[in-house]
């Protein structure tokens, strides 16, 4: 009887057949199944490799301290706004958070001399200051994904910034626990690093196609079984939409600048310097123990690029933080940030953390008045020019 019931469950309903046909049409000759309309935004600040966006709020209420979303290098900033229904930016806006994004833009061969210092001492601090100023001098709650979280933490440790808290999603700090890097590390040891060094020196960094290929290879099993997954779930529009959005995202990876790639390769992967909590920059040493704000760490249970053990290793390095909250959530590297189940797992942890470290409502109200006055002054100056 159980077998008969399971077989009957496999028989598609009339509605299921219609859904499958509609999805197949949209996937092939129609407009597609994923709504990747981006949340509207305005540019509030620009600089070299830095464009800071303010997402337009869905309501007039500005009830919280501002949130700045920090993406990693070589990945499109749309990771925080992947598609409708799976957008962390739109989720934060719906809760009334003034939400901002720093976008580095495309990296060219001419940017090959830029090192980590550029992002840690210039791009991210300037973005934080711009957001605080735009929000009426409120402190900022920073949310970084992957390398964006690492760079945010280094920026906080190495600079005095108006930051209220920092959240790290899928940010690895012990690269010795990243098993997918083992073959590359063995190759590096055999060639004493000369092979990889020669490649990024000749190419000016890691080109976008190579970065995209690297991400795809980490999920090779899913790539191979993708046709079967699509066929089995042809009536599940939400799943099809998410697959389409992820495919589009992976197809638009960006390049790493040469010097930054060299630092990541030698200091993070080969020496595993981050695991000790101290990173040598060109002009000083940054100690993660100097981070003095509450920190949230979210690790993906199924993450291959940043295994949970590599992510949660940062907890013991944040000796100066007043509190460190560590959470594990289902999902891979991108899935833990913006997967279909993130709303009830990762985002719930983030909501609780941001709420616990928000500013007082009276301060927010006064800051909103200051912000409106500054916006009106800026608009008047723009109109006059």
């Amino acid at each position: 009887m159980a077998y008969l019931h399971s077989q009957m469950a496999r028989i598609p309903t009339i509605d299921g057949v219609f859904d499958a046909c509609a999805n197949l049409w949209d996937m092939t000759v129609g407009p597609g199944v994923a709504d990747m309309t981006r949340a509207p935004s305005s540019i509030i600040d620009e600089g070299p490799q830095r464009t800071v966006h303010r997402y337009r709020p869905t309501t007039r209420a500005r009830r919280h301290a501002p949130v700045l979303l920090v993406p990693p290098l070589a990945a499109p900033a749309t990771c925080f706004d992947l598609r409708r229904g799976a957008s962390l930016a739109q989720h934060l806006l719906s809760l009334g958070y003034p939400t901002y994004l720093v976008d580095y833009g495309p990296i060219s061969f001419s940017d090959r001399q830029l090192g980590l210092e550029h992002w840690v001492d210039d791009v991210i601090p300037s973005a934080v200051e711009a957001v605080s100023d735009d929000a009426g001098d409120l402190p900022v709650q920073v949310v970084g994904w992957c390398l964006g979280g690492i760079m945010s933490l280094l920026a906080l440790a190495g600079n005095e910034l108006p930051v209220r808290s920092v959240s790290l999603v899928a940010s690895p700090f012990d690269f010795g626990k990243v098993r997918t890097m083992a073959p590359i590390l063995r190759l590096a040891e055999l060639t004493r690093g000369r092979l990889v060094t020669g490649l990024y020196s000749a190419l000016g960094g890691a080109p976008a196609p190579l970065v995209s290929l690297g991400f795809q290879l980490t999920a090779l099993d899913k790539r191979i079984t993708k046709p079967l997954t699509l066929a089995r779930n042809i009536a599940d529009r939400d799943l099809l939409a998410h697959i389409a959005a992820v495919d589009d995202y992976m197809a638009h990876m960006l390049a790493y600048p040469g010097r930054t790639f060299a630092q990541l390769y030698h200091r993070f992967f080969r020496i595993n310097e981050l695991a000790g909590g101290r990173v040598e920059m060109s002009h000083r040493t940054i100690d993660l123990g100097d981070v003095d704000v509450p920190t949230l760490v979210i690790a993906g249970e199924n993450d291959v690029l940043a295994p949970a053990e590599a992510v949660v290793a940062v907890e013991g390095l944040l000796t100066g933080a007043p509190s460190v909250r560590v959470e594990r959530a289902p999902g891979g590297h991108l899935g833990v940030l913006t997967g279909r189940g993130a709303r009830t797992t990762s985002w719930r942890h983030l909501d609780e953390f941001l709420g616990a470290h928000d500013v007082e409502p009276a301060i927010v109200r006064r800051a909103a008045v200051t912000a409106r006055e500054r916006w009106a002054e800026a608009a008047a100056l723009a109109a006059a020019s």
Side-chain angles (χ1 to χ4, degrees):
M1 182 64 71
Y3 173 78
L4 180 61
H5 179 74
S6 65
Q7 292 299 102
M8 291 181 63
R10 293 174 180 267
I11 300 174
T13 62
I14 295 297
D15 288 341
V17 171
F18 280 123
D19 289 341
C21 292
N23 292 340
L24 186 60
W25 173 269
D26 286 341
M27 290 170 62
T28 53
V29 297
V33 291
D35 182 357
M36 291 184 287
T37 305
R38 306 304 177 194
S41 66
S42 302
I43 295 174
I44 66 161
D45 181 63
E46 290 182 281
Q49 293 77 46
R50 181 186 80 247
T51 302
V52 183
H53 299 260
R54 181 209 307 130
Y55 287 108
R56 296 174 191 168
T58 53
T59 67
R60 293 184 178 180
R62 298 174 63 87
R63 302 188 297 268
H64 306 285
V67 174
L68 172 62
L69 304 175
V70 182
L73 294 171
T78 52
C79 55
F80 295 107
D81 190 25
L82 189 66
R83 68 178 179 96
R84 294 296 170 120
S87 167
L88 178 58
Q90 294 171 13
H91 171 72
L92 293 171
L93 289 169
S94 71
L95 298 179
Y97 284 97
T99 306
Y100 299 77
L101 169 75
V102 56
D103 187 349
Y104 315 126
I107 300 297
S108 66
F109 185 79
S110 62
D111 299 320
R112 62 189 180 280
Q113 295 302 323
L114 295 176
L116 271 174
E117 297 87 351
H118 177 62
W119 278 269
V120 170
D121 290 333
D122 183 7
V123 173
I124 294 176
S126 297
V128 169
E129 295 283 1
V131 169
S132 178
D133 180 74
D134 188 75
D137 299 324
L138 285 175
V140 181
Q141 302 211 68
V142 176
V143 178
W145 174 54
C146 187
L147 181 58
I150 296 174
M151 295 192 305
S152 296
L153 210 59
L154 291 173
L156 292 181
N159 303 276
E160 291 292 331
L161 297 173
V163 170
R164 184 82 170 183
S165 75
V166 60
S167 299
L168 317 172
V169 183
S171 300
F173 284 83
D174 186 349
F175 284 82
K177 294 181 168 62
V178 182
R179 293 180 294 277
T180 54
M181 289 304 300
I184 298 176
L185 291 177
R186 283 196 291 270
L187 179 62
E189 293 304 319
L190 289 172
T191 64
R192 296 183 180 180
R194 288 192 294 268
L195 178 59
V196 177
T197 300
L199 282 173
Y200 68 66
S201 297
L203 299 174
L210 189 60
V211 174
S212 180
L213 178 62
F215 271 92
Q216 292 178 33
L217 287 176
T218 62
L220 186 58
D221 56 336
K222 292 183 179 179
R223 305 292 300 182
I224 294 173
T225 59
K226 178 184 171 183
L228 182 60
T229 301
L230 293 176
R232 285 180 172 176
N233 298 278
I234 194 63
D236 188 341
R237 192 175 185 87
D238 188 62
L239 175 59
L240 299 178
H242 200 75
I243 292 174
V246 171
D247 284 349
D248 180 78
Y249 184 80
M250 292 298 183
H252 291 87
M253 288 291 169
L254 305 172
Y256 280 105
R259 185 162 173 267
T260 297
F261 185 81
Q263 290 171 305
L264 296 176
Y265 170 63
H266 288 291
R267 296 199 172 279
F268 290 7
F269 291 103
R270 289 193 66 196
I271 303 175
N272 200 16
E273 198 172 48
L274 266 180
R278 295 166 64 87
V279 177
E280 295 288 338
M281 294 292 181
S282 59
H283 55 293
R284 74 189 193 286
T285 299
I286 296 181
D287 190 337
L288 294 181
D290 292 334
V291 173
D292 59 357
V293 298
T295 305
L296 170 66
V297 180
I298 300 178
E301 294 174 343
N302 313 108
D303 196 337
V304 176
L305 282 175
E309 295 77 11
V311 173
V312 303
V314 72
E315 181 180 13
L317 307 177
L318 300 174
T319 54
S323 65
V324 180
R325 175 175 172 175
V326 177
E327 300 288 352
R328 299 180 185 228
H333 197 57
L334 181 59
V336 72
L337 174 74
T338 187
R340 294 201 302 156
R343 182 178 296 275
T344 57
T345 54
S346 305
W347 295 1
R348 181 173 295 174
H349 298 316
L350 183 61
D351 294 346
E352 293 171 356
F353 181 78
L354 294 177
H357 300 289
D358 206 353
V359 297
E360 293 77 7
I363 297 177
V364 174
R365 287 193 293 270
R366 289 196 296 270
V369 174
T370 302
R372 285 194 293 269
E373 291 174 348
R374 290 178 180 174
W375 297 347
E377 181 179 352
L381 288 173
S385 60

